[in-house]
């Protein structure tokens, strides 16, 4: 779960940077090339956030099941019989 939160924090930080750069470029860079550059940063920002968002939306249930299994295995009693 910590990995999900860490990945989400990094993704949001990069997305914020990728949205901040086009905002700053809109003030200085004009014309079609500037607009294409702005859109590239926006697309890169959303692509970077895709995997952390996917982990939060879809991957938490298998991780929860695996954690429950590991806790059950850790609490299991083991008996060794000598034959």
């Amino acid at each position: 779960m910590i990995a999900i939160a860490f990945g989400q924090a990094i993704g949001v930080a990069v997305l914020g940077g990728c949205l901040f750069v086009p905002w700053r470029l809109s003030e200085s860079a004009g014309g079609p090339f500037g607009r294409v550059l702005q859109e590239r940063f926006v697309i890169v920002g959303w692509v970077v956030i895709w995997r952390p968002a996917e982990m939060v939306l879809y991957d938490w249930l298998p991780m929860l099941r695996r954690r429950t299994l590991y806790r059950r295995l850790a609490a299991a009693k083991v008996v060794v019989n000598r034959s």
Side-chain angles (χ1 to χ4, degrees):
M1 292 301 204
I2 293 174
I4 291 176
F6 186 66
Q8 191 73 21
I10 291 173
V12 168
V14 172
L15 175 63
C18 286
L19 293 177
F20 177 75
V21 169
W23 177 69
R24 293 296 290 173
L25 283 176
S26 67
E27 297 174 352
S28 61
F33 180 72
R35 183 69 182 152
V36 168
L37 193 60
Q38 291 171 1
E39 291 299 323
R40 283 185 180 180
F41 275 105
V42 171
I43 291 169
V44 166
W46 286 110
V47 168
V48 166
I49 198 86
W50 184 267
R51 179 63 184 146
E54 183 181 25
M55 288 172 64
V56 169
L57 294 174
Y58 303 114
D59 292 347
W60 66 271
L61 188 58
M63 290 174 64
L64 182 66
R65 288 181 184 151
R66 194 174 321 133
R67 184 181 71 179
T68 304
L69 173 65
Y70 291 154
R71 286 185 178 170
R72 286 179 36 216
L73 286 172
K77 292 183 180 182
V78 177
V79 177
V80 178
N81 290 328
R82 289 188 168 181
S83 303

